[in-house]
Amino acid sequence: VQVLVYVVMLSVVDPVLATVALVATPLFWLLGRWFSSRLKDVARQTRHRVGALSAVAEESLSNMALIQAYNAERLLVDRFRSEGRQVVQMSLAAARLRGVFGPLTELVELVGLLLVVGVGTYQLSRGGMTLGGLLVFLAYFAQLYGPLRELGRLAPVASVASAGAERIIEILATRPVVVDD
């Protein structure tokens, strides 16, 4: 709702400058979409790796006597370390993606601001706009990008959550092996 209100306010102050201001809006959407798909893949892989790590731990603990009898401790420790490294690698990949996403959205916001200031200054120098009008426009413009930024950040969070929900749906869809008459 805030985005719509500020778009209307920008259009009332100066329709041409509002069009320039909204050029960056699709970039927020594209960035959010691109990063959310990458994060969803990484979250899916992380979930599988954590599951494998948990399986190794559960298998090791439940069969401790057998493992000790066959002197297989070293083998299971190596397997656990390997799975743990893969979990760490997936977590680092997700952190790298999140670390790049924030600065990129700020860059898009800065480019949009520079475009607005440039076109607004040009209009000001040609007499098409007053200094007060430009300042009001910039105030509304600053208010517009806050909700847009938050919407852009919501997409990656939602994609990670949907990757987790896929597993829950998968478990709920599993048919029981034993059917109670």
Side-chain angles (χ1 to χ4, degrees), residues 52-90:
L53 181 67
S54 298
V56 170
E58 190 272 332
E59 183 181 304
S60 301
L61 292 173
S62 64
N63 295 316
M64 188 58 69
L66 191 61
I67 292 166
Q68 288 174 340
Y70 285 103
N71 197 23
E73 293 96 345
R74 174 60 46 214
L75 175 71
L76 283 169
V77 166
D78 290 343
R79 234 176 101 197
F80 190 79
R81 273 198 187 118
S82 172
E83 293 295 338
R85 274 191 214 103
Q86 290 177 6
V87 168
V88 169
Q89 287 173 352
M90 291 293 105

Side-chain angles (χ1 to χ4, degrees), residues 2 25 92 108 121 175:
Q2 284 180 327
T25 304
L92 288 174
V108 168
T121 304
R175 301 242 185 250

Side-chain angles (χ1 to χ4, degrees), residues 11-12 18 44 110 115 145:
S11 299
V12 167
R44 219 181 262 132
L110 180 64
L115 280 171
Y145 271 19

Side-chain angles (χ1 to χ4, degrees), residues 89-105:
Q89 287 173 352
M90 291 293 105
S91 298
L92 288 174
R96 277 191 297 273
L97 281 171
R98 286 188 200 100
V100 169
F101 179 68
L104 271 178
T105 55

